[in-house]
Amino acid sequence: MASILIVAGPNEGDYYPMRNRTLVVGRDEGVPVQITDQRISRKHLQIRYDDARKQYLALDMKSANGTLINGRAVTTEVPLVDGDEISVGNSKLVFSSTEFKDRESAFANWKQRGERSKPTIQQ
């Protein structure tokens, strides 16, 4: 199972286990992942599990400001892989193919992964 971590923006620190369900990300109070970012549409992004493909897929829901995955604009349904960075409004989310026991475990794993990607020689 997978999870979503919000790593930047007004809801930084939020953690959402996916549990093979569909999550909608947006500003609306009725969506499963509410982000209080004024540059995010009420229903901005959908992330769903495709049972036939055994894969999570992301789709921009015709949002006003668009969605980027790893810096690329989302125009169709996009398969997600572990570590994908999703930019919506002024917020950044990270997709993890792992569901963690709690928020602290999820962020510890994300921070550890970030340390591994840093260069060893600083200039």
Side-chain angles (χ1 to χ4, degrees), residues 58-74:
L59 177 66
D60 182 82
M61 299 178 75
K62 300 181 181 174
S63 66
N65 293 311
T67 300
L68 302 175
I69 297 180
N70 299 325
R72 296 187 133 160
V74 174

Side-chain angles (χ1 to χ4, degrees), residues 58-108:
L59 177 66
D60 182 82
M61 299 178 75
K62 300 181 181 174
S63 66
N65 293 311
T67 300
L68 302 175
I69 297 180
N70 299 325
R72 296 187 133 160
V74 174
T75 56
T76 62
E77 208 166 42
V78 176
L80 292 172
V81 297
D82 189 53
D84 277 350
E85 291 186 359
I86 305 166
S87 298
V88 290
N90 292 319
S91 299
K92 186 189 306 182
L93 294 69
V94 173
F95 174 80
S96 175
S97 59
T98 304
E99 183 175 319
F100 299 92
K101 66 178 183 168
D102 56 26
R103 176 190 166 285
E104 288 74 25
S105 303
F107 277 90

Side-chain angles (χ1 to χ4, degrees), residues 114-123:
E115 288 298 316
R116 288 193 299 259
S117 66
K118 285 185 180 176
T120 55
I121 299 174
Q122 300 293 323
Q123 296 198 14

Side-chain angles (χ1 to χ4, degrees), residues 40-57:
I40 293 179
S41 296
R42 287 186 177 100
K43 292 183 179 174
H44 196 104
L45 168 73
Q46 178 188 72
I47 301 172
R48 71 176 183 90
Y49 183 74
D50 185 320
D51 202 36
R53 294 169 69 176
K54 305 285 187 231
Q55 190 169 37
Y56 287 91
L57 304 168

